Structures are given as C-alpha cells and as structure tokens.
Amino acid sequence: MGFPPECFDSGLAYQARGGDTFIVTYPKCGTTWTQHIVWMLCHDGKPLPLGKNINLEVPHLEEVGGEFVAALPEPRFIKTHFTYELVPHHPEAKYIYVARNPFDCVVSFYYHTKGFVKHYNFAEGSFASFFECFMNGEVDWGDYFEHLIPWVEHRDDANVLFLTYEDMKTNLRSAVKAIAAFLGDSYATKVENPEIIESIVEHASFSSMSKNQSRWSSDRPAGMTPFVRKGEVGDWKSHFSASQTRQLMQKFRERTTGTEAANLWSDLLPSSREQGLGP
Ligand code: PPS
C-alpha cells in the first residue's frame, strides 16, 4: 500500500479520542518494534501470527486514513510519523514516542528507500546521495531534527512516554514494562505474569522479528534487504565517510545545542575530539 493523498489528508484531520494511543516516530526509529510490543501486550503476550500485517492491526494513520482508524473498536493503537505539531492531540490520548540516533536512522532509511522499489525510484541509489537528501530534510516526513526536538520538549508530559531505540536495545524487558505501565494498570498487571513478559521479550527480539517478515511489510520483493534488517546500534560506522560523520555531527550540534536533545546519545555519538574539531 502507498500513501494515497486522501488518506494522508484524512489522517491529518483525524480527531483523537481519549482512549487512543499513538506510536509516534520519525521513520526507521523503532516503530514496528514498538507496534509489535503493544500488540502483544493486547494479546496476552502472543506474537503477531503469520498472515496478519502489523500495519492493519496497529494502523498507520496517514497510510490508511482517518476514517479507517475512527472505525476501529476502542481502545485504538495508532502508528504515525506526524510531527508534534501535526499529530492529532487529545489531552486523554497517549503518545509513545521512540527516538533513534540520526546516524543509524539515516542508514536504515537508506535501505528502506532502496528496498521499496514499488514506492521509490531508488533501487540503484547510493548512500552518499541519500545522505545528502537526509541532511537537507528532503526525505519522506521531512527533517529529522524538526521531528525530534518538539517531542523531546514534551517528553515529560503526563501523556507522553519517551523511549529511545538504543535504550530498548540495552534493556528490552524494562522498555516493555515501561510501555505496559504507561498503558495502564491492566497492562502493568499482565506483565507481572512471567509467561507473558517472557513471551513478549522473546517475540520482540531481533531474531524473532527477523522471521516471517510478511507480518511487517508485504511490499518487499524477494532478494531485497529485509525490512527487519540489522537491528544494531552503531551500524552507521560501516557506512559513513569521515566527512559525512563530521557533517552530521556538526548538524546535530547546531540543531540540538540548548535543547534537551543535545545529550540523548552523548555516550554513542562521536566526540569533537574524535573528529579533530577540538574539545
Ligand atoms: S518504519 O518503516 O518507519 O516503520 O521503520 P521502523 O519500524 O521505525 O524501523 C525499522 C528499523 O527497526 C529495526 N527493528 C528492530 N531492531 C531491533 N530489534 C527488533 N526487534 C527490531 N524490529 C525492527 C529494523 O531492523 C530497522 O532498523 P535497521 O537498522 O534498518 O535494521
């Protein structure tokens, strides 16, 4: 499925309701992973079976449109890549935001754009040309930093749960528990059951989600990079040139200095010293 303009528009016009939970991300930051965790929390820890598609179970608002989402039974769990400004707001709706460092994000986004040959004319595209588009904010859903920073500013709102992909990698179990607690008492109680939490952690692992990938995307032709591709923190190091590292780090500093995003990945991203830029 693509993104019909009428679905995008009706997604923008969707009126959020009190019981809605939105999973909000900039693309390639851990959306599908979080959708699957939420789905399992709603299904007593069982994984999404083969034959189902996560994007119909936890639909992508701007892909299926607002009418489709409004017709779903409550409570609704909704994926979106909308910015803070564009996302449908309701004081009693909940928003799970997942951020990922921009270095790994751009690499993942590059393979995504190369692989979805049905949607993009980029099968032969180079990382260098995609990197340039990303740096200019000329990719789907626009500029990475314009997405990240307003959500970081709202990360302590009572109805926002702010997670990072990297923290989910480090401690998946505690991320699952945090999501359950955020969703409410009935979910928090579920994960007190050892069988349920064990099942969720197992089936949310990279190795489990690498299997039966038609559950995440049916549009990937055989032979292309799989949708659940590598699932690593730091894969960017095998893609970036020294110049690209400097450029993105410089942009990261320019855009995040003075915001709470500045220190999100201070232990992971290259320091000025490593780049020969002084202390
Ligand atoms: S999308 O198209 O925006 O919905 O993509 P999204 O799901 O946000 O991001 C895809 C990346 O998430 C990785 N992924 C995982 N990593 C670790 N563990 C699990 N279980 C997992 N599931 C998905 C997926 O591999 C993509 O990252 P890369 O770096 O390309 O591997």
Side-chain angles (χ1 to χ4, degrees):
M1 175 157 195
F3 288 80
E6 59 279 14
C7 289
F8 201 92
D9 289 344
S10 80
L12 278 172
Y14 174 72
Q15 302 283 312
R17 319 259 175 99
D20 290 350
T21 299
F22 293 86
I23 296 167
V24 192
T25 54
Y26 185 79
K28 314 317 290 179
C29 290
T31 334
T32 316
W33 196 7
T34 310
Q35 284 171 281
H36 192 213
I37 292 169
V38 164
W39 193 90
M40 290 191 280
L41 283 168
C42 296
H43 293 84
D44 293 330
K46 294 187 190 70
L48 187 72
L50 191 58
K52 286 195 185 279
N53 185 312
I54 196 71
N55 286 315
L56 293 175
E57 300 291 314
V58 181
H60 190 170
L61 178 60
E62 54 271 37
E63 185 172 17
V64 299
E67 285 87 10
F68 180 101
V69 172
L72 292 174
E74 291 180 19
R76 301 187 183 84
F77 295 92
I78 305 159
K79 158 182 172 175
T80 181
H81 292 315
F82 283 151
T83 56
Y84 185 82
E85 195 186 310
L86 294 180
V87 88
H89 286 279
H90 187 289
E92 284 151 33
K94 294 181 179 178
Y95 302 85
I96 302 174
Y97 188 82
V98 188
R100 186 180 193 184
N101 79 74
F103 289 71
D104 286 322
C105 174
V106 63
V107 170
S108 183
F109 211 165
Y110 162 65
Y111 285 105
H112 170 103
T113 309
K114 236 174 128 65
F116 278 112
V117 290
K118 231 167 105 179
H119 303 301
Y120 305 98
N121 182 15
F122 198 69
E124 305 303 326
S126 67
F127 179 67
S129 59
F130 189 81
F131 179 82
E132 211 176 305
C133 295
F134 182 85
M135 291 293 283
N136 294 328
E138 290 168 350
V139 289
D140 287 351
W141 284 276
D143 184 80
Y144 169 93
F145 295 96
E146 274 174 28
H147 204 284
L148 174 71
I149 288 164
W151 280 104
V152 177
E153 281 164 359
H154 285 274
R155 72 175 166 179
D156 295 326
D157 291 3
N159 63 347
V160 172
L161 175 68
F162 188 93
L163 301 171
T164 67
Y165 179 98
E166 294 76 13
D167 285 346
M168 288 171 68
K169 280 291 289 185
T170 307
N171 197 339
L172 181 54
R173 187 177 302 267
S174 78
V176 171
K177 286 186 178 170
I179 294 171
F182 179 69
L183 293 181
D185 289 346
S186 62
Y187 300 89
T189 306
K190 277 189 202 186
V191 294
E192 282 170 17
N193 177 328
E195 272 177 41
I196 293 183
I197 183 83
E198 287 316 319
S199 174
I200 296 177
V201 170
E202 181 193 334
H203 293 289
S205 68
F206 180 80
S207 64
S208 289
M209 286 191 58
S210 300
K211 294 183 190 125
N212 299 327
Q213 293 219 22
S214 60
R215 296 179 295 163
W216 324 126
S217 164
S218 48
D219 280 359
R220 214 83 167 172
M224 295 307 290
T225 319
F227 183 85
V228 172
R229 184 186 64 90
K230 204 151 188 188
E232 281 180 5
V233 176
D235 186 35
W236 65 271
K237 289 177 190 160
S238 53
H239 292 78
F240 274 57
S241 67
S243 155
Q244 287 163 341
T245 306
R246 267 195 308 277
Q247 287 174 62
L248 184 50
M249 206 51 227
Q250 190 173 340
K251 186 175 275 282
F252 185 87
R253 284 201 198 95
E254 279 167 15
R255 301 294 293 275
T256 65
T257 299
T259 79
E260 292 195 20
N263 297 317
L264 275 177
W265 298 284
S266 38
D267 51 336
L268 292 175
L269 299 185
S271 66
S272 312
R273 194 189 307 262
E274 279 169 316
Q275 294 170 68
L277 298 176

